[in-house]
Amino acid sequence: MKLPRSAPSHRRTESQPVLPETELLLDEREKSPVTRQSPPSSPVLERAGSLYSETFGQGAQSVQSDRPPPYEGRPEPPSRKPTLPAQPAFLTASLDTQEELAEQLAQMGRQLKLNALHLANSISKEKNVLEDAGEKLERNLDTMTKERVRLRDHRGKSGVFFDALFTIVKPRRPIASQYTQVINSHVTKPVPESAVAAAFPEALKEVQVLKPAYEGGKDTWWAEVIRRTALKAGADGNDVNAHIPQMTEQLLNVFRSKEGYALYPDVIETFEALKEAGVRIGLVSNTDGRMRDALADLGVLPYLDASVALSEEEKVEKPSPVLWEVACHRAGIERPASAGLDRTAGKATPILHVGDELDADYLGALGAGLDAILLRRPGDKVVGRQATELEATTVRVAESLAEVVAYVLGSHK
């Protein structure tokens, strides 16, 4: 009987090579160990292994157990990581620039957001302010509309009269300067302007007393004023008498237009404000008809409601009440019979006169039954006498026509 062949021994001998499940190979180029893994397990291989064990028994297991682990006692091979090639310098700089631009854009975005928030807040605040201002304007407009309607109720029964010289007009150049220029152009011995400035008021006053209200006509009246002025200033009498017609004609023509007169700056706006309020405007002045021509040349005659009363034309002078009666009649206003201020009622009469002379304008208007304001413009020379201390306590004085407008509109409430 033959015995079965014993299973071949799998013990390691010196001549036999080591055949582990995983071999260590050396890479010829890097000289580093490279791991070659055994093929992955499968059901077929597992079944073959099982049959092998059943056939050979413990021997197969011992062989398998005697084999050392793949890396026992040996260093683990280092892992190999791929090395990327270095980037070009220009590409690196471009990336840095892009990052810097991106940061700047981010900062700009944040700043724009802050600006937008600030603008939104400002618009909201300004919107509230504008809404409040609009409401105030609407209320003011409503008040002004009602006030204009109320003031228009006074049309035909309220009026303001003005004096001319040094109230609404003034000489474009000093009177003494213009007189001196004309006189010296006709005399052999020139006279100084200072002498003419002192002589003119005296000569004017003398002629006003001798020939009131331009008695004899304005040409002869002014010829006498010019003659007396030249003589008082020291001009030669023969030269003056020989050339007085030429002197008179020159000076009368100068003071017939805007060549000789100029409006005060507050005149037009005053007239427009009074017209808007429905107040009639007129002129009451101790002057001749040339003043009407001058006012027409200055563009203010249409404001005067055809109510112009001049002493030369009416043959009477202020402070006579006749001139105001004529002016009221032409303006369609009924003149009050009482004094200018109703002391018992504490209200002014609906008619006002404004002028720069105390006796002729202020006291004359009060005596005619009108209210009055004495105009004293800063810098202008006072014409006529000054008010006494007692009169100064009761005289109503204004320094500009704006004060007159405020008083007129206030007194009509």
Side-chain angles (χ1 to χ4, degrees):
M1 182 176 177
K2 292 182 178 181
L3 294 174
R5 184 181 296 181
S6 61
S9 176
H10 290 278
R11 295 184 178 275
R12 178 180 176 185
T13 63
E14 295 297 332
S15 59
Q16 291 179 332
V18 178
L19 297 175
E21 294 181 1
T22 304
E23 294 182 351
L24 295 177
L25 301 179
L26 293 177
D27 183 76
E28 294 298 333
R29 185 175 55 184
E30 300 293 338
K31 300 300 181 180
S32 60
V34 177
T35 303
R36 186 173 66 185
Q37 301 291 339
S38 60
S41 62
S42 67
V44 175
L45 293 178
E46 291 178 358
R47 180 59 179 164
S50 175
L51 293 174
Y52 185 87
S53 298
E54 290 176 0
T55 304
F56 297 102
Q58 295 296 325
Q61 296 179 358
S62 62
V63 172
Q64 185 176 4
S65 62
D66 290 340
R67 291 175 182 175
Y71 297 104
E72 182 177 356
R74 299 179 185 181
E76 185 177 354
S79 60
R80 296 179 60 194
K81 297 181 179 180
T83 303
L84 298 176
Q87 295 180 347
F90 77 90
L91 183 58
T92 303
S94 176
L95 292 175
D96 293 340
T97 303
Q98 291 179 9
E99 291 178 357
E100 183 179 355
L101 290 176
E103 179 61 25
Q104 292 179 359
L105 289 174
Q107 292 180 359
M108 291 173 62
R110 291 191 292 269
Q111 186 62 45
L112 287 174
K113 183 177 180 180
L114 293 176
N115 292 344
L117 292 175
H118 178 72
L119 180 60
N121 293 334
S122 300
I123 291 175
S124 178
K125 293 179 181 179
E126 291 178 359
K127 180 180 179 182
N128 294 333
V129 172
L130 289 175
E131 289 178 352
D132 294 340
E135 292 177 359
K136 291 180 181 178
L137 287 174
E138 289 179 359
R139 291 195 297 268
N140 292 340
L141 179 60
D142 183 61
T143 301
M144 292 174 63
T145 301
K146 294 178 180 178
E147 184 68 9
R148 289 173 63 181
V149 172
R150 184 188 61 77
L151 289 173
R152 283 173 181 172
D153 293 339
H154 293 276
R155 186 182 299 276
K157 59 182 179 181
S158 297
V160 180
F161 298 120
F162 293 89
D163 182 35
L165 189 59
F166 298 115
T167 299
I168 63 174
V169 298
K170 60 182 177 180
R172 192 169 293 276
R173 292 168 49 204
I175 294 177
S177 175
Q178 300 193 61
Y179 268 58
T180 302
Q181 180 180 355
V182 172
I183 291 172
N184 286 340
S185 65
H186 295 284
V187 298
T188 56
K189 180 183 178 182
V191 295
E193 183 176 330
S194 58
V196 174
F200 176 75
E202 296 180 4
L204 181 64
K205 187 64 177 179
E206 291 173 356
V207 177
Q208 286 176 335
V209 172
L210 293 174
K211 299 180 178 182
Y214 298 93
E215 183 180 312
K218 67 177 184 299
D219 292 348
T220 58
W221 197 91
W222 281 110
E224 185 61 21
V225 172
I226 296 168
R227 189 184 70 83
R228 290 176 180 245
T229 299
L231 293 176
K232 289 178 179 293
D236 182 77
N238 294 328
D239 292 339
V240 171
N241 292 330
H243 298 94
I244 195 64
Q246 293 87 349
M247 295 180 189
T248 302
E249 182 179 4
Q250 284 183 255
L251 288 172
L252 288 179
N253 288 333
V254 167
F255 291 101
R256 188 187 297 276
S257 66
K258 58 185 177 183
E259 179 184 357
Y261 291 113
L263 289 173
Y264 283 99
D266 55 359
V267 172
I268 296 295
E269 60 184 1
T270 296
F271 285 0
E272 289 181 348
L274 294 176
K275 280 290 188 182
E276 179 67 18
V279 178
R280 298 293 183 93
I281 305 173
L283 184 77
V284 177
S285 179
N286 288 345
T287 186
D288 60 71
R290 290 176 303 136
M291 182 57 69
R292 180 185 280 101
D293 299 334
L295 294 177
D297 198 26
L298 291 168
V300 296
L301 192 61
Y303 289 99
L304 300 179
D305 292 315
S307 179
V308 178
L310 305 177
S311 59
E312 183 215 1
E313 297 173 349
E314 307 305 328
K315 308 303 180 184
V316 65
E317 293 180 334
K318 297 177 298 186
S320 171
V322 173
L323 280 180
W324 283 289
E325 291 177 1
V326 171
C328 288
H329 176 73
R330 290 175 179 170
I333 303 173
E334 183 179 355
R335 183 177 68 88
S338 60
L341 189 64
D342 186 349
R343 303 295 181 182
T344 59
K347 296 181 179 180
T349 63
I351 306 174
L352 174 71
H353 178 79
V354 182
D356 66 304
E357 292 190 44
L358 178 62
D359 290 325
D361 291 307
Y362 187 83
L363 297 178
L366 291 180
L370 280 68
D371 196 4
I373 289 181
L374 183 64
L375 186 63
R376 287 283 192 254
R377 293 183 181 275
D380 280 1
K381 184 178 179 180
V382 175
V383 179
R385 71 178 183 87
Q386 293 277 14
T388 64
E389 293 184 5
L390 179 61
E391 289 172 332
T393 61
T394 59
V395 173
R396 182 178 292 108
V397 179
E399 294 185 349
S400 69
L401 295 185
E403 297 179 36
V404 173
V405 173
Y407 175 76
V408 170
L409 299 185
S411 66
H412 287 170
K413 292 182 179 180

